[in-house]
């Protein structure tokens, strides 16, 4: 039982960057835009957040800078797709390529490779058990003995759910994504809603990248996201565009990504490479199943 609790707790940590990225993409797609540049925005947030944290030793500046970097990537995408009406798929793929190159260039130009997160920043993200809740058997250790970034993920997921389903702004967002003609007839500023929410979504993706470079690893290495942005895109479909379901999906895929590290005995019976492929194989499986299943609850917001 102790091994299971430790594994589930680690899965929550591993799934946190996926949760941020998934929430960001859910918000983007809710306003009717498919942004395949999640990987690029995560990398931009990761490198800028780490560079600022290294130079200033300020965790607040590092987090803020990472969110701004992700939002800047999203701004490029928003300008192309909202203002210039460019193809969303091509623009998103271009953003991924741009973000990958940007992170590699900045990492080499500022000599980040091999650098570790400063102690001041690392100390800010130490484990902080939540009083009372952390004492709950099983769930307390799994969910309430983590660093502040993990708790921020809980808050943002719940907050986004309330924002989308329980506020007038959320209703307007869904109207813009599902039926822009009706939204325009209701005097909703479609372009404003798209820009604002696409940028917020990009900022969330940037935070997901920053968690990887500042907390999870914590050091800078090229391609630090290792394809997690693509998993996040699939997780949006897996969660049926629901922020609450995104919590479960992110931690599930986070757990799949650390199976080999937590259960090394498996490598004696199964190839290490096959175990490392698990999250990506499951991602493909989810996409195939969803594409074959005709269910209104898992349709894209703009269908």
């Amino acid at each position: 039982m102790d091994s299971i609790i430790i594994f589930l707790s680690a899965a929550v940590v591993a799934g946190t960057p996926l949760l941020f990225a998934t929430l960001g993409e859910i918000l983007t797609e809710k306003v009717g835009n498919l942004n395949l540049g999640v990987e690029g925005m995560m990398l931009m947030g990761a490198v800028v957040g780490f560079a600022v944290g290294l130079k200033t030793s300020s965790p607040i500046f590092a987090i803020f800078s990472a969110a701004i970097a992700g939002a800047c990537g999203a701004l490029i995408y928003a300008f192309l797709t909202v203002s210039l009406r460019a193809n969303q798929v091509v623009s998103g793929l271009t953003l991924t390529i741009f973000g990958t190159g940007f992170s590699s260039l900045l990492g080499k130009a500022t000599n980040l490779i091999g650098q570790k997160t400063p102690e001041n920043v690392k100390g800010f993200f130490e484990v902080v058990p939540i009083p009372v809740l952390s004492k709950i058997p099983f769930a307390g250790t799994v969910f309430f003995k983590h660093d502040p970034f993990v708790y921020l993920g809980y808050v943002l997921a719940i907050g986004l759910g309330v924002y989308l389903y329980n506020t007038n702004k959320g209703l307007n967002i869904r109207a813009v994504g599902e039926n822009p003609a009706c939204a325009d007839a209701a005097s909703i500023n479609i372009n404003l809603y798209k820009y604002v929410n696409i940028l917020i979504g990009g900022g969330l993706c940037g935070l997901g990248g920053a968690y990887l470079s500042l907390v999870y690893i914590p050091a800078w290495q090229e391609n630090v996201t290792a394809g997690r942005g693509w998993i996040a895109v699939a997780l949006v479909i897996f969660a049926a565009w629901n922020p609450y379901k995104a919590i479960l999906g992110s931690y599930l895929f986070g757990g799949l990504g650390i199976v080999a590290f937590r259960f090394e005995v498996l490598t004696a019976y199964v190839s290490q490479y096959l175990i490392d492929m698990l999250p990506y194989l499951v991602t493909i499986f989810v996409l195939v199943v969803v594409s074959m299943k005709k269910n209104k609850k898992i349709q894209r917001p703009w269908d």
Side-chain angles (χ1 to χ4, degrees), residues 15 18 32 45 50 52 64 83 89 104 139 151 154 170 191 196-197 219 268 272:
L18 290 175
F50 187 85
V52 172
F64 182 74
S83 297
V89 174
S104 179
Y151 302 141
Y154 299 162
N191 285 355
V196 169
N197 289 284
Q272 171 75 42

Side-chain angles (χ1 to χ4, degrees), residues 171-251:
L171 180 61
N172 290 343
I173 287 172
R174 288 182 285 146
V176 168
E178 295 171 14
N179 198 326
C182 288
D184 185 55
S187 300
I188 296 174
N189 191 329
I190 295 176
N191 285 355
L192 178 61
Y193 268 86
K194 282 181 175 289
Y195 262 97
V196 169
N197 289 284
I198 290 173
L199 263 61
I200 293 174
L204 291 174
C205 292
L207 288 177
Y211 185 79
L212 287 169
S213 60
L214 290 171
V215 185
Y216 189 67
I217 294 190
W220 176 250
Q221 62 185 44
E222 288 194 23
N223 194 29
V224 68
T225 54
R228 288 178 176 86
W230 297 109
I231 294 178
V233 173
L235 272 172
V236 173
I237 303 172
F238 180 83
W241 292 268
N242 187 315
Y244 303 127
K245 294 180 181 178
I247 299 175
L248 174 62
S250 298
Y251 297 155

Side-chain angles (χ1 to χ4, degrees), residues 234 237-238 253 281-295 298-299:
I237 303 172
F238 180 83
F253 277 74
L281 290 175
V282 174
T283 299
I284 295 172
F285 175 75
V286 167
L287 292 175
V288 171
V289 170
V290 169
S291 66
M292 295 174 61
K293 191 174 181 181
K294 303 298 182 182
N295 188 335
I298 55 176
Q299 286 183 339

